CSV table of all heavy atoms in Angstrom, one decimal:
chain,number,residue,atom,x,y,z
A,4,VAL,N,-100.0,-4.6,85.2
A,4,VAL,CA,-99.6,-5.8,85.9
A,4,VAL,C,-98.3,-6.2,85.3
A,4,VAL,O,-98.2,-6.7,84.2
A,4,VAL,CB,-100.6,-6.9,85.8
A,4,VAL,CG1,-100.1,-8.1,86.6
A,4,VAL,CG2,-102.0,-6.5,86.3
A,6,ALA,N,-95.3,-5.8,83.2
A,6,ALA,CA,-95.1,-5.0,81.9
A,6,ALA,C,-96.4,-4.9,81.1
A,6,ALA,O,-96.4,-4.3,80.1
A,6,ALA,CB,-94.0,-5.6,81.1
A,7,ILE,N,-97.4,-5.6,81.5
A,7,ILE,CA,-98.7,-5.6,80.8
A,7,ILE,C,-99.5,-4.4,81.2
A,7,ILE,O,-99.7,-4.1,82.3
A,7,ILE,CB,-99.5,-6.9,81.1
A,7,ILE,CG1,-98.7,-8.1,80.7
A,7,ILE,CG2,-100.8,-6.9,80.4
A,7,ILE,CD1,-99.3,-9.4,81.2
A,29,GLN,N,-115.5,-9.5,62.9
A,29,GLN,CA,-115.2,-9.3,61.5
A,29,GLN,C,-114.1,-8.3,61.3
A,29,GLN,O,-114.0,-7.3,62.1
A,29,GLN,CB,-116.5,-8.7,60.8
A,29,GLN,CG,-117.7,-9.6,60.9
A,29,GLN,CD,-118.9,-9.0,60.3
A,29,GLN,OE1,-119.2,-7.8,60.5
A,29,GLN,NE2,-119.7,-9.7,59.6
A,37,ASP,N,-113.6,5.0,49.6
A,37,ASP,CA,-114.8,4.2,49.4
A,37,ASP,C,-115.9,4.7,50.3
A,37,ASP,O,-115.7,5.2,51.4
A,37,ASP,CB,-114.5,2.7,49.8
A,37,ASP,CG,-115.7,1.8,49.4
A,37,ASP,OD1,-115.7,1.4,48.2
A,37,ASP,OD2,-116.5,1.5,50.2
A,39,GLY,N,-118.4,3.1,51.5
A,39,GLY,CA,-118.8,2.1,52.5
A,39,GLY,C,-120.2,1.6,52.1
A,39,GLY,O,-120.8,1.9,51.1
A,44,ARG,N,-129.1,-1.5,59.1
A,44,ARG,CA,-129.2,-1.8,60.5
A,44,ARG,C,-128.7,-3.2,60.8
A,44,ARG,O,-128.5,-4.0,60.0
A,44,ARG,CB,-130.7,-1.6,61.0
A,44,ARG,CG,-131.6,-2.7,60.5
A,44,ARG,CD,-133.0,-2.6,61.1
A,44,ARG,NE,-133.6,-1.3,61.0
A,44,ARG,CZ,-134.4,-0.8,60.0
A,44,ARG,NH1,-134.6,-1.6,59.0
A,44,ARG,NH2,-134.9,0.3,60.0
A,70,LEU,N,-113.7,9.1,62.8
A,70,LEU,CA,-113.0,8.1,63.6
A,70,LEU,C,-111.7,7.8,63.0
A,70,LEU,O,-111.6,7.6,61.8
A,70,LEU,CB,-113.8,6.8,63.8
A,70,LEU,CG,-115.2,7.0,64.5
A,70,LEU,CD1,-115.9,5.7,64.5
A,70,LEU,CD2,-115.0,7.5,65.9
A,78,GLU,N,-122.5,0.6,68.3
A,78,GLU,CA,-123.8,0.9,67.9
A,78,GLU,C,-124.8,-0.1,68.6
A,78,GLU,O,-124.4,-1.2,68.7
A,78,GLU,CB,-124.0,1.0,66.4
A,78,GLU,CG,-123.4,-0.2,65.7
A,78,GLU,CD,-123.4,0.1,64.2
A,78,GLU,OE1,-124.5,0.1,63.6
A,78,GLU,OE2,-122.3,0.2,63.6
A,81,GLY,N,-130.5,-3.3,66.4
A,81,GLY,CA,-132.0,-3.2,66.5
A,81,GLY,C,-132.5,-2.3,65.4
A,81,GLY,O,-132.1,-2.3,64.3
A,88,MET,N,-120.2,4.9,56.9
A,88,MET,CA,-118.9,4.4,57.4
A,88,MET,C,-117.9,4.6,56.2
A,88,MET,O,-117.3,3.7,55.7
A,88,MET,CB,-118.9,3.0,57.8
A,88,MET,CG,-119.4,2.0,56.8
A,88,MET,SD,-119.4,0.4,57.5
A,88,MET,CE,-118.9,-0.6,56.1
A,89,ARG,N,-117.8,5.9,55.7
A,89,ARG,CA,-117.0,6.2,54.5
A,89,ARG,C,-115.6,6.4,54.9
A,89,ARG,O,-115.2,7.0,55.8
A,89,ARG,CB,-117.6,7.5,54.0
A,89,ARG,CG,-116.9,7.9,52.7
A,89,ARG,CD,-117.5,9.2,52.0
A,89,ARG,NE,-117.1,10.4,52.8
A,89,ARG,CZ,-118.0,11.3,53.1
A,89,ARG,NH1,-119.3,11.3,52.7
A,89,ARG,NH2,-117.6,12.4,53.7
A,92,ASP,N,-109.8,8.6,53.7
A,92,ASP,CA,-108.5,8.7,53.1
A,92,ASP,C,-108.5,8.4,51.6
A,92,ASP,O,-108.9,7.3,51.2
A,92,ASP,CB,-107.6,7.6,53.8
A,92,ASP,CG,-106.1,7.7,53.5
A,92,ASP,OD1,-105.8,8.3,52.4
A,92,ASP,OD2,-105.3,7.3,54.3
A,95,GLY,N,-105.4,5.7,51.0
A,95,GLY,CA,-105.1,4.5,51.9
A,95,GLY,C,-106.4,3.8,52.3
A,95,GLY,O,-107.5,4.3,52.3
A,99,PHE,N,-111.2,-1.8,60.1
A,99,PHE,CA,-111.6,-1.8,61.5
A,99,PHE,C,-112.1,-3.2,61.9
A,99,PHE,O,-112.5,-4.0,61.0
A,99,PHE,CB,-112.7,-0.7,61.8
A,99,PHE,CG,-114.0,-0.8,61.1
A,99,PHE,CD1,-115.1,-1.5,61.6
A,99,PHE,CD2,-114.2,-0.2,59.9
A,99,PHE,CE1,-116.3,-1.6,60.9
A,99,PHE,CE2,-115.4,-0.2,59.2
A,99,PHE,CZ,-116.4,-0.9,59.7
A,100,LEU,N,-112.0,-3.5,63.2
A,100,LEU,CA,-112.5,-4.7,63.7
A,100,LEU,C,-113.9,-4.5,64.3
A,100,LEU,O,-114.1,-3.5,65.0
A,100,LEU,CB,-111.5,-5.2,64.8
A,100,LEU,CG,-111.8,-6.5,65.5
A,100,LEU,CD1,-111.5,-7.6,64.5
A,100,LEU,CD2,-110.9,-6.6,66.8
A,102,VAL,N,-117.0,-6.4,66.4
A,102,VAL,CA,-117.6,-7.6,67.2
A,102,VAL,C,-119.1,-7.4,67.2
A,102,VAL,O,-119.6,-6.4,67.8
A,102,VAL,CB,-117.0,-7.7,68.6
A,102,VAL,CG1,-117.6,-8.8,69.4
A,102,VAL,CG2,-115.5,-7.8,68.5
A,108,GLY,N,-131.6,-16.1,63.8
A,108,GLY,CA,-132.6,-16.1,62.7
A,108,GLY,C,-132.8,-14.8,61.9
A,108,GLY,O,-133.7,-14.7,61.1
A,126,MET,N,-135.2,11.6,61.7
A,126,MET,CA,-134.5,11.0,62.9
A,126,MET,C,-133.0,11.2,62.8
A,126,MET,O,-132.3,10.9,63.8
A,126,MET,CB,-134.9,9.5,63.0
A,126,MET,CG,-136.3,9.3,63.4
A,126,MET,SD,-136.7,7.6,63.7
A,126,MET,CE,-137.5,7.2,62.2
A,131,ALA,N,-127.0,16.1,59.0
A,131,ALA,CA,-126.9,15.0,58.1
A,131,ALA,C,-128.2,14.7,57.3
A,131,ALA,O,-128.2,13.8,56.4
A,131,ALA,CB,-126.5,13.7,58.8
A,132,ARG,N,-129.2,15.5,57.5
A,132,ARG,CA,-130.5,15.2,56.8
A,132,ARG,C,-130.3,15.5,55.3
A,132,ARG,O,-129.5,16.3,54.9
A,132,ARG,CB,-131.6,16.1,57.4
A,132,ARG,CG,-131.9,15.6,58.8
A,132,ARG,CD,-133.1,16.4,59.4
A,132,ARG,NE,-133.2,15.9,60.8
A,132,ARG,CZ,-133.7,16.7,61.8
A,132,ARG,NH1,-134.0,18.0,61.5
A,132,ARG,NH2,-133.8,16.2,63.0
Side-chain angles (χ1 to χ4, degrees):
V4 179
I7 299 170
Q29 300 174 322
D37 191 83
R44 64 174 56 88
L70 297 175
E78 50 190 289
M88 55 181 217
R89 183 174 75 223
D92 189 334
F99 64 91
L100 183 71
V102 177
M126 293 186 255
R132 292 184 184 148

